[in-house]
Amino acid sequence: MPTTETIEDLIEEGLRQGPVPSYVRVGQLNQAIRTEVARAIPLVTARAEHLPDTQRAEISAAIAAAERTLAGGLGDGLVSAVAHVQLLARHARTLRSYEPDAT
């Protein structure tokens, strides 16, 4: 994976609909986006501690959903792998929107 790609680029690529990328590329996206989700969870968790209950509940639900997806894998084929990466990318985008510097 070229180092000039930003995590935002990778998330957008993971969300992209259209021609299915190669399994190798899906694996690369999976690893990069999985790492981003894992990085964001503790930051967002810490931020949620200082928010009102309603916002904290929303963020906690997003974290729980991301953790469930992290516990899964790419599946048995390319279609399931692409679907998994798209879900990870959605979680990454959501969690990034809750990060302290995102406000």
Side-chain angles (χ1 to χ4, degrees):
M1 208 170 347
T3 58
T4 57
E5 292 178 305
T6 66
I7 190 60
E8 291 87 6
D9 294 335
L10 296 170
I11 290 168
E12 287 306 311
E13 184 178 347
L15 290 168
R16 195 171 301 138
Q17 302 289 320
V20 176
S22 71
Y23 197 84
V24 169
R25 184 60 178 162
V26 172
Q28 292 169 335
L29 291 169
N30 177 61
Q31 187 58 45
I33 297 169
R34 178 176 289 275
T35 299
E36 176 62 14
V37 170
R39 180 204 64 80
I41 286 173
L43 296 174
V44 174
T45 300
R47 178 174 187 235
E49 293 173 4
H50 306 287
L51 295 173
D53 288 344
T54 54
Q55 289 176 310
R56 190 176 18 213
E58 177 184 322
I59 291 172
S60 294
I63 290 169
E67 289 173 333
R68 282 191 301 275
T69 301
L70 282 176
L74 291 175
D76 294 331
L78 184 56
V79 173
S80 64
V82 168
H84 181 75
V85 167
Q86 288 172 339
L87 185 55
L88 277 174
R90 284 193 293 277
H91 291 311
R93 187 169 55 186
T94 299
L95 292 174
R96 287 172 64 84
S97 75
Y98 291 130
E99 285 187 20
D101 61 349
T103 55

